[in-house]
Amino acid sequence: MLYDKDIREPLFDFLEETYGKNRILEEKRTGRSRADVVMVTPKALYGIEIKSDADTYARLAGQVKDYDKFYDYNIAVVGSRHGEHVHEHVPEHWGIITAEESDGSVDFYFLRQPQCNPGRKWRWKLSLLWRPELAQLQEWNDMPKYKDKSKLFVIRKIMERIPEKLSEETLSQQVSEILFERDYMKVAELLAEYRKGELQKKIEQEEDPEKRRELLERQAKMQKNFVGKAKPRPRRRRRSRKRQVL
């Protein structure tokens, strides 16, 4: 019997051999579910759900619904126990990979290649990016900065440019590039610096002395909390592939 821990590590090698350059993100919040694996490739994002021989299909229907909102392609990786029936539980566009134990190792086989997910929504895919990363998309595509606007507002503005001013292919490549370069060791610094810039702008625009004083106190508190706080999580590397637990 193969368990999740038996499947993951050899699966990552199989994905690298099959798809080439990729970055692995593990345990990524996906709607109401948590994706076991998100594989970033230069042109697309793959949601990968692992069902070991010890797992059941109890939560799979909800997971399928969530995965199909976010990812360009989706794949179910299953132990041999599920090989004959998994196709009954996932849509036809989902890929299926079986994991089989062989001479002390694990072999993987495609029962079905993944097809482009017709249900993926840009609203959800772009929500995987942090606000500073969306700002990078804005810069690349000559958009206003919208520094005082919410993440959802910016996502909608980016979506409005599709496809007349921004092709889906180009946007997918840009999202992948950002996720390839995402540095989890600098996440606290990146988000703090972005918020600091937004707060500074509000301070400069505020005319009410009392409200301005409150904003200055908030800024000082933010800086105090950030200095020396939160040591970055060490990056885990396996050969040329980048892998990170979210």
PDB file of all heavy atoms in Angstrom, residues 223-244:
ATOM      1  N   GLN A 223       6.874  49.782  11.655  1.00  0.00           N
ATOM      2  CA  GLN A 223       8.323  49.676  11.519  1.00  0.00           C
ATOM      3  C   GLN A 223       8.940  48.953  12.713  1.00  0.00           C
ATOM      4  O   GLN A 223       9.842  48.132  12.566  1.00  0.00           O
ATOM      5  CB  GLN A 223       8.920  51.078  11.369  1.00  0.00           C
ATOM      6  CG  GLN A 223       8.552  51.748  10.057  1.00  0.00           C
ATOM      7  CD  GLN A 223       8.978  53.206  10.003  1.00  0.00           C
ATOM      8  OE1 GLN A 223       9.210  53.826  11.044  1.00  0.00           O
ATOM      9  NE2 GLN A 223       9.067  53.757   8.810  1.00  0.00           N
ATOM     10  N   LYS A 224       8.429  49.230  13.920  1.00  0.00           N
ATOM     11  CA  LYS A 224       8.950  48.592  15.126  1.00  0.00           C
ATOM     12  C   LYS A 224       8.677  47.089  15.103  1.00  0.00           C
ATOM     13  O   LYS A 224       9.532  46.289  15.470  1.00  0.00           O
ATOM     14  CB  LYS A 224       8.298  49.221  16.354  1.00  0.00           C
ATOM     15  CG  LYS A 224       8.799  48.629  17.668  1.00  0.00           C
ATOM     16  CD  LYS A 224       8.127  49.311  18.855  1.00  0.00           C
ATOM     17  CE  LYS A 224       8.604  48.707  20.163  1.00  0.00           C
ATOM     18  NZ  LYS A 224       7.945  49.347  21.341  1.00  0.00           N
ATOM     19  N   ASN A 225       7.476  46.714  14.660  1.00  0.00           N
ATOM     20  CA  ASN A 225       7.104  45.305  14.627  1.00  0.00           C
ATOM     21  C   ASN A 225       7.888  44.534  13.584  1.00  0.00           C
ATOM     22  O   ASN A 225       8.157  43.349  13.734  1.00  0.00           O
ATOM     23  CB  ASN A 225       5.614  45.148  14.349  1.00  0.00           C
ATOM     24  CG  ASN A 225       4.770  45.554  15.538  1.00  0.00           C
ATOM     25  OD1 ASN A 225       5.251  45.597  16.663  1.00  0.00           O
ATOM     26  ND2 ASN A 225       3.499  45.856  15.289  1.00  0.00           N
ATOM     27  N   PHE A 226       8.240  45.228  12.512  1.00  0.00           N
ATOM     28  CA  PHE A 226       8.919  44.534  11.417  1.00  0.00           C
ATOM     29  C   PHE A 226      10.394  44.273  11.709  1.00  0.00           C
ATOM     30  O   PHE A 226      10.926  43.220  11.392  1.00  0.00           O
ATOM     31  CB  PHE A 226       8.798  45.340  10.119  1.00  0.00           C
ATOM     32  CG  PHE A 226       9.558  44.710   8.978  1.00  0.00           C
ATOM     33  CD1 PHE A 226       9.133  43.532   8.399  1.00  0.00           C
ATOM     34  CD2 PHE A 226      10.721  45.298   8.501  1.00  0.00           C
ATOM     35  CE1 PHE A 226       9.829  42.941   7.358  1.00  0.00           C
ATOM     36  CE2 PHE A 226      11.437  44.714   7.465  1.00  0.00           C
ATOM     37  CZ  PHE A 226      10.982  43.538   6.897  1.00  0.00           C
ATOM     38  N   VAL A 227      11.063  45.235  12.355  1.00  0.00           N
ATOM     39  CA  VAL A 227      12.507  45.110  12.582  1.00  0.00           C
ATOM     40  C   VAL A 227      12.802  43.911  13.484  1.00  0.00           C
ATOM     41  O   VAL A 227      12.300  43.799  14.580  1.00  0.00           O
ATOM     42  CB  VAL A 227      13.073  46.394  13.224  1.00  0.00           C
ATOM     43  CG1 VAL A 227      14.545  46.193  13.578  1.00  0.00           C
ATOM     44  CG2 VAL A 227      12.899  47.560  12.273  1.00  0.00           C
ATOM     45  N   GLY A 228      13.612  43.024  13.002  1.00  0.00           N
ATOM     46  CA  GLY A 228      14.022  41.874  13.786  1.00  0.00           C
ATOM     47  C   GLY A 228      12.978  40.801  13.957  1.00  0.00           C
ATOM     48  O   GLY A 228      13.175  39.855  14.704  1.00  0.00           O
ATOM     49  N   LYS A 229      11.852  40.927  13.285  1.00  0.00           N
ATOM     50  CA  LYS A 229      10.771  39.972  13.473  1.00  0.00           C
ATOM     51  C   LYS A 229      10.820  38.898  12.400  1.00  0.00           C
ATOM     52  O   LYS A 229      11.400  39.061  11.352  1.00  0.00           O
ATOM     53  CB  LYS A 229       9.427  40.716  13.410  1.00  0.00           C
ATOM     54  CG  LYS A 229       8.225  39.886  13.792  1.00  0.00           C
ATOM     55  CD  LYS A 229       6.962  40.740  13.705  1.00  0.00           C
ATOM     56  CE  LYS A 229       5.737  39.930  14.064  1.00  0.00           C
ATOM     57  NZ  LYS A 229       4.501  40.705  13.929  1.00  0.00           N
ATOM     58  N   ALA A 230      10.161  37.782  12.671  1.00  0.00           N
ATOM     59  CA  ALA A 230       9.914  36.727  11.688  1.00  0.00           C
ATOM     60  C   ALA A 230      11.121  36.347  10.866  1.00  0.00           C
ATOM     61  O   ALA A 230      11.396  36.922   9.825  1.00  0.00           O
ATOM     62  CB  ALA A 230       8.784  37.159  10.748  1.00  0.00           C
ATOM     63  N   LYS A 231      11.848  35.384  11.345  1.00  0.00           N
ATOM     64  CA  LYS A 231      12.951  34.848  10.569  1.00  0.00           C
ATOM     65  C   LYS A 231      12.410  34.117   9.361  1.00  0.00           C
ATOM     66  O   LYS A 231      11.442  33.379   9.463  1.00  0.00           O
ATOM     67  CB  LYS A 231      13.785  33.897  11.425  1.00  0.00           C
ATOM     68  CG  LYS A 231      14.509  34.587  12.570  1.00  0.00           C
ATOM     69  CD  LYS A 231      15.346  33.592  13.344  1.00  0.00           C
ATOM     70  CE  LYS A 231      16.071  34.286  14.490  1.00  0.00           C
ATOM     71  NZ  LYS A 231      16.883  33.330  15.269  1.00  0.00           N
ATOM     72  N   PRO A 232      13.002  34.291   8.188  1.00  0.00           N
ATOM     73  CA  PRO A 232      12.484  33.652   6.986  1.00  0.00           C
ATOM     74  C   PRO A 232      12.617  32.142   7.053  1.00  0.00           C
ATOM     75  O   PRO A 232      13.576  31.615   7.615  1.00  0.00           O
ATOM     76  CB  PRO A 232      13.360  34.228   5.866  1.00  0.00           C
ATOM     77  CG  PRO A 232      14.617  34.637   6.554  1.00  0.00           C
ATOM     78  CD  PRO A 232      14.204  35.080   7.923  1.00  0.00           C
ATOM     79  N   ARG A 233      11.631  31.455   6.486  1.00  0.00           N
ATOM     80  CA  ARG A 233      11.679  30.006   6.410  1.00  0.00           C
ATOM     81  C   ARG A 233      12.719  29.588   5.387  1.00  0.00           C
ATOM     82  O   ARG A 233      12.754  30.127   4.285  1.00  0.00           O
ATOM     83  CB  ARG A 233      10.301  29.484   5.973  1.00  0.00           C
ATOM     84  CG  ARG A 233      10.219  27.969   5.909  1.00  0.00           C
ATOM     85  CD  ARG A 233       8.849  27.535   5.450  1.00  0.00           C
ATOM     86  NE  ARG A 233       7.829  27.989   6.381  1.00  0.00           N
ATOM     87  CZ  ARG A 233       6.535  27.787   6.195  1.00  0.00           C
ATOM     88  NH1 ARG A 233       6.111  27.167   5.113  1.00  0.00           N
ATOM     89  NH2 ARG A 233       5.651  28.212   7.068  1.00  0.00           N
ATOM     90  N   PRO A 234      13.606  28.663   5.734  1.00  0.00           N
ATOM     91  CA  PRO A 234      14.642  28.254   4.781  1.00  0.00           C
ATOM     92  C   PRO A 234      14.052  27.663   3.526  1.00  0.00           C
ATOM     93  O   PRO A 234      13.028  26.984   3.556  1.00  0.00           O
ATOM     94  CB  PRO A 234      15.450  27.211   5.565  1.00  0.00           C
ATOM     95  CG  PRO A 234      14.517  26.734   6.626  1.00  0.00           C
ATOM     96  CD  PRO A 234      13.670  27.913   6.984  1.00  0.00           C
ATOM     97  N   ARG A 235      14.684  27.947   2.423  1.00  0.00           N
ATOM     98  CA  ARG A 235      14.220  27.460   1.131  1.00  0.00           C
ATOM     99  C   ARG A 235      14.679  26.027   0.938  1.00  0.00           C
ATOM    100  O   ARG A 235      15.812  25.681   1.214  1.00  0.00           O
ATOM    101  CB  ARG A 235      14.810  28.332   0.029  1.00  0.00           C
ATOM    102  CG  ARG A 235      13.943  28.417  -1.201  1.00  0.00           C
ATOM    103  CD  ARG A 235      14.537  29.455  -2.117  1.00  0.00           C
ATOM    104  NE  ARG A 235      13.609  29.845  -3.135  1.00  0.00           N
ATOM    105  CZ  ARG A 235      13.838  30.833  -3.966  1.00  0.00           C
ATOM    106  NH1 ARG A 235      14.945  31.522  -3.855  1.00  0.00           N
ATOM    107  NH2 ARG A 235      12.973  31.149  -4.883  1.00  0.00           N
ATOM    108  N   ARG A 236      13.790  25.193   0.461  1.00  0.00           N
ATOM    109  CA  ARG A 236      14.121  23.799   0.219  1.00  0.00           C
ATOM    110  C   ARG A 236      14.355  23.602  -1.266  1.00  0.00           C
ATOM    111  O   ARG A 236      13.538  23.987  -2.088  1.00  0.00           O
ATOM    112  CB  ARG A 236      12.965  22.904   0.690  1.00  0.00           C
ATOM    113  CG  ARG A 236      12.664  23.036   2.161  1.00  0.00           C
ATOM    114  CD  ARG A 236      11.322  22.477   2.514  1.00  0.00           C
ATOM    115  NE  ARG A 236      11.223  21.063   2.201  1.00  0.00           N
ATOM    116  CZ  ARG A 236      10.078  20.385   2.231  1.00  0.00           C
ATOM    117  NH1 ARG A 236       8.963  21.007   2.540  1.00  0.00           N
ATOM    118  NH2 ARG A 236      10.055  19.099   1.938  1.00  0.00           N
ATOM    119  N   ARG A 237      15.458  22.992  -1.613  1.00  0.00           N
ATOM    120  CA  ARG A 237      15.784  22.821  -3.013  1.00  0.00           C
ATOM    121  C   ARG A 237      16.041  21.349  -3.318  1.00  0.00           C
ATOM    122  O   ARG A 237      16.630  20.635  -2.533  1.00  0.00           O
ATOM    123  CB  ARG A 237      17.037  23.617  -3.397  1.00  0.00           C
ATOM    124  CG  ARG A 237      16.845  25.118  -3.305  1.00  0.00           C
ATOM    125  CD  ARG A 237      18.124  25.820  -3.709  1.00  0.00           C
ATOM    126  NE  ARG A 237      17.987  27.252  -3.629  1.00  0.00           N
ATOM    127  CZ  ARG A 237      17.556  28.012  -4.604  1.00  0.00           C
ATOM    128  NH1 ARG A 237      17.204  27.461  -5.748  1.00  0.00           N
ATOM    129  NH2 ARG A 237      17.474  29.330  -4.461  1.00  0.00           N
ATOM    130  N   ARG A 238      15.593  20.931  -4.471  1.00  0.00           N
ATOM    131  CA  ARG A 238      15.901  19.603  -4.972  1.00  0.00           C
ATOM    132  C   ARG A 238      16.379  19.760  -6.396  1.00  0.00           C
ATOM    133  O   ARG A 238      15.627  20.108  -7.282  1.00  0.00           O
ATOM    134  CB  ARG A 238      14.672  18.695  -4.940  1.00  0.00           C
ATOM    135  CG  ARG A 238      14.126  18.473  -3.542  1.00  0.00           C
ATOM    136  CD  ARG A 238      12.963  17.502  -3.557  1.00  0.00           C
ATOM    137  NE  ARG A 238      13.441  16.132  -3.773  1.00  0.00           N
ATOM    138  CZ  ARG A 238      13.283  15.459  -4.898  1.00  0.00           C
ATOM    139  NH1 ARG A 238      12.727  16.024  -5.934  1.00  0.00           N
ATOM    140  NH2 ARG A 238      13.713  14.216  -5.016  1.00  0.00           N
ATOM    141  N   ARG A 239      17.630  19.551  -6.602  1.00  0.00           N
ATOM    142  CA  ARG A 239      18.254  19.709  -7.915  1.00  0.00           C
ATOM    143  C   ARG A 239      17.878  21.067  -8.509  1.00  0.00           C
ATOM    144  O   ARG A 239      17.943  22.075  -7.842  1.00  0.00           O
ATOM    145  CB  ARG A 239      17.863  18.555  -8.828  1.00  0.00           C
ATOM    146  CG  ARG A 239      18.293  17.212  -8.226  1.00  0.00           C
ATOM    147  CD  ARG A 239      18.248  16.079  -9.192  1.00  0.00           C
ATOM    148  NE  ARG A 239      16.991  15.954  -9.866  1.00  0.00           N
ATOM    149  CZ  ARG A 239      16.678  14.887 -10.586  1.00  0.00           C
ATOM    150  NH1 ARG A 239      17.537  13.874 -10.699  1.00  0.00           N
ATOM    151  NH2 ARG A 239      15.526  14.808 -11.207  1.00  0.00           N
ATOM    152  N   SER A 240      17.459  21.094  -9.777  1.00  0.00           N
ATOM    153  CA  SER A 240      17.184  22.383 -10.414  1.00  0.00           C
ATOM    154  C   SER A 240      15.774  22.873 -10.176  1.00  0.00           C
ATOM    155  O   SER A 240      15.417  23.979 -10.531  1.00  0.00           O
ATOM    156  CB  SER A 240      17.411  22.259 -11.940  1.00  0.00           C
ATOM    157  OG  SER A 240      16.507  21.312 -12.480  1.00  0.00           O
ATOM    158  N   ARG A 241      14.934  22.031  -9.545  1.00  0.00           N
ATOM    159  CA  ARG A 241      13.545  22.409  -9.366  1.00  0.00           C
ATOM    160  C   ARG A 241      13.367  23.194  -8.073  1.00  0.00           C
ATOM    161  O   ARG A 241      13.951  22.858  -7.051  1.00  0.00           O
ATOM    162  CB  ARG A 241      12.669  21.158  -9.310  1.00  0.00           C
ATOM    163  CG  ARG A 241      11.195  21.457  -9.187  1.00  0.00           C
ATOM    164  CD  ARG A 241      10.356  20.174  -9.112  1.00  0.00           C
ATOM    165  NE  ARG A 241      10.739  19.368  -7.980  1.00  0.00           N
ATOM    166  CZ  ARG A 241      11.398  18.234  -8.070  1.00  0.00           C
ATOM    167  NH1 ARG A 241      11.768  17.774  -9.235  1.00  0.00           N
ATOM    168  NH2 ARG A 241      11.725  17.533  -6.991  1.00  0.00           N
ATOM    169  N   LYS A 242      12.531  24.207  -8.113  1.00  0.00           N
ATOM    170  CA  LYS A 242      12.218  24.974  -6.920  1.00  0.00           C
ATOM    171  C   LYS A 242      10.938  24.412  -6.300  1.00  0.00           C
ATOM    172  O   LYS A 242       9.980  24.155  -6.981  1.00  0.00           O
ATOM    173  CB  LYS A 242      11.999  26.459  -7.250  1.00  0.00           C
ATOM    174  CG  LYS A 242      13.250  27.142  -7.777  1.00  0.00           C
ATOM    175  CD  LYS A 242      12.938  28.580  -8.089  1.00  0.00           C
ATOM    176  CE  LYS A 242      14.164  29.309  -8.621  1.00  0.00           C
ATOM    177  NZ  LYS A 242      13.862  30.698  -8.956  1.00  0.00           N
ATOM    178  N   ARG A 243      10.975  24.238  -4.981  1.00  0.00           N
ATOM    179  CA  ARG A 243       9.841  23.657  -4.304  1.00  0.00           C
ATOM    180  C   ARG A 243       9.609  24.423  -3.031  1.00  0.00           C
ATOM    181  O   ARG A 243      10.539  24.791  -2.336  1.00  0.00           O
ATOM    182  CB  ARG A 243      10.133  22.188  -4.003  1.00  0.00           C
ATOM    183  CG  ARG A 243       9.058  21.477  -3.203  1.00  0.00           C
ATOM    184  CD  ARG A 243       9.550  20.082  -2.894  1.00  0.00           C
ATOM    185  NE  ARG A 243       8.666  19.435  -1.975  1.00  0.00           N
ATOM    186  CZ  ARG A 243       9.002  18.404  -1.213  1.00  0.00           C
ATOM    187  NH1 ARG A 243      10.206  17.920  -1.296  1.00  0.00           N
ATOM    188  NH2 ARG A 243       8.120  17.860  -0.402  1.00  0.00           N
ATOM    189  N   GLN A 244       8.361  24.674  -2.678  1.00  0.00           N
ATOM    190  CA  GLN A 244       8.087  25.462  -1.495  1.00  0.00           C
ATOM    191  C   GLN A 244       6.749  25.064  -0.892  1.00  0.00           C
ATOM    192  O   GLN A 244       5.780  24.833  -1.606  1.00  0.00           O
ATOM    193  CB  GLN A 244       8.050  26.959  -1.836  1.00  0.00           C
ATOM    194  CG  GLN A 244       7.913  27.838  -0.632  1.00  0.00           C
ATOM    195  CD  GLN A 244       9.166  27.892   0.175  1.00  0.00           C
ATOM    196  OE1 GLN A 244      10.241  27.949  -0.360  1.00  0.00           O
ATOM    197  NE2 GLN A 244       9.023  27.865   1.485  1.00  0.00           N
TER     198      GLN A 244
END
